[in-house]
Amino acid sequence: MTATHDSPTAAGSGDSATKAFRASRDSASVGPAVSQERVSEVVTHLLAGIHSTIRSKKVTYDEFQAAKQYLIDVGEGGEWPLILDVFVEHVVEDVAAEAQDGTKGSILGPYYLPGQVRLDTPATLPRRADEQGTELLFAGQVRDTAGNPVPGAELDVWQADHEGYYSGFAPHLPDGNLRGVVVADAQGKFEIHTIEPAAYQIPTDGPTGALIEAAGWHPWRPAHLHLMVRAPEHRTITTQLYFRGGEWLDSDVASATKPELILDPVDNGDGTRSVTYDFTLEPA
Ligand code: DHB
Ligand code: FE
């Protein structure tokens, strides 16, 4: 596909992701203060991991100074939200998942934006008049862990377009494109009309991309839909859904796939595809 626009830059995406993250921190309710014991325990362990890497890999002064330069570059390039969500968030999510029932979670990533348009089911996510990509009807039901329908459920959906770009983080896309909060019906059922996203590539022109290239890794995430599924008195699920047969499913650079989160769309015979996926929410 030929792009008819400039590709978003790592610096641009990183800057927008940093702003979105700051805004989410400003509006977050303040949790309990972190104790001195906790800070000391976690930071001591973290530093011990770095020290042990230096000893066992015999890291040199040159390498240490290169690492210092690299970390400065990540900050100046505004890429902390990108690099942390790609390389670290999946383990935080794994630990959180140990105490969670219901539909499996996955990483939030850097591209969530709150306050999107609310749409009653059946809904079509906002799209450009000439939006490209395979039409997808995504339908299902939200139930609780006892199997009962959950009324009043909301599916906050965000996704990349057919080139792998997210609105709000790519200047050529209209605000709110392929984002929306879909309100399910009284039985927790929903129908969302959208297009299939393309695989996502970590921007290669910044420090995160430079590291990936220097290490000989690849910069791809498999195509995915992002969702937060909410309902009164239930724990919100933050997750992602992938597509059976999609490229990079077995080598996601962000290590955020799970077998339970893979969709099996069927061809409708007219160039469109349909899929159902049901969500299970646990009590809050
Ligand atoms: C990143 C981007 C994503 O779309 C995602 O789902 C996870 C991580 C990133 O660039 O850090
Ligand atoms: Fe994503």
Side-chain angles (χ1 to χ4, degrees):
M1 190 110 10
T2 3
T4 53
H5 52 78
D6 293 336
S7 293
T9 59
S13 303
D15 189 47
S16 305
T18 300
K19 289 197 174 97
F21 180 71
R22 284 222 173 95
S24 76
R25 297 292 294 167
D26 291 347
S27 64
S29 51
V30 182
V34 182
S35 70
Q36 199 175 52
E37 287 73 18
R38 180 67 175 167
V39 174
S40 178
E41 177 189 31
V42 172
V43 176
T44 299
H45 205 268
L46 178 65
L47 291 172
I50 296 174
H51 301 159
S52 112
T53 301
I54 295 168
R55 286 187 202 285
S56 67
K57 297 299 168 191
K58 306 256 178 259
V59 171
T60 65
Y61 253 98
D62 273 354
E63 289 168 337
F64 172 62
Q65 301 297 21
K68 201 185 288 182
Q69 181 65 58
Y70 183 74
L71 295 178
I72 292 168
D73 292 347
V74 171
E76 286 182 353
E79 282 199 50
W80 278 116
L82 271 58
I83 198 167
L84 288 173
D85 291 357
V86 168
F87 292 126
V88 181
E89 189 185 352
H90 68 98
V91 187
V92 181
E93 198 287 317
D94 272 350
V95 170
E98 289 169 9
Q100 292 172 352
D101 265 344
T103 301
K104 299 283 182 201
S106 185
I107 65 173
L108 175 68
Y111 296 150
Y112 175 66
L113 292 173
Q116 301 302 317
V117 64
R118 286 173 67 83
L119 304 161
D120 284 331
T121 187
T124 301
L125 293 188
R127 58 166 84 173
R128 292 162 286 181
D130 58 349
E131 195 73 49
Q132 308 285 300
T134 302
E135 279 286 333
L136 178 71
L137 170 58
F138 168 46
Q141 187 179 28
V142 183
R143 293 189 292 264
D144 63 21
T145 40
N148 301 310
V150 176
E154 288 179 6
L155 297 96
D156 198 338
V157 185
W158 69 107
Q159 64 167 92
D161 71 359
H162 76 293
E163 295 184 311
Y165 297 130
Y166 287 86
S167 62
F169 301 88
H172 66 286
L173 295 177
D175 282 351
N177 207 56
L178 299 176
R179 296 174 181 271
V181 180
V182 177
V183 182
D185 70 14
Q187 272 70 52
K189 292 195 174 165
F190 62 89
E191 274 187 31
I192 302 171
H193 295 265
T194 186
I195 56 106
E196 290 192 18
Y200 168 83
Q201 184 178 24
I202 307 283
T204 48
D205 62 324
T208 311
L211 172 63
I212 288 170
E213 187 173 334
W217 304 333
H218 75 67
W220 291 96
R221 299 211 60 224
H224 55 277
L225 302 172
H226 288 268
L227 290 119
M228 281 174 37
V229 185
R230 299 185 275 266
E233 276 134 58
H234 292 79
R235 179 180 66 81
T236 298
I237 289 173
T238 300
T239 195
Q240 301 187 22
L241 296 172
Y242 304 89
F243 295 85
R244 179 89 55 209
E247 222 178 338
W248 319 111
L249 266 181
D250 296 326
S251 63
D252 179 7
V253 66
S255 311
T257 65
K258 297 183 185 182
E260 299 86 347
L261 299 177
I262 299 177
L263 298 171
D264 277 301
V266 294
D267 289 336
N268 296 322
D270 59 358
T272 72
R273 303 217 290 169
S274 298
V275 71
T276 58
Y277 194 88
D278 296 337
F279 295 92
T280 307
L281 299 188
E282 64 177 342

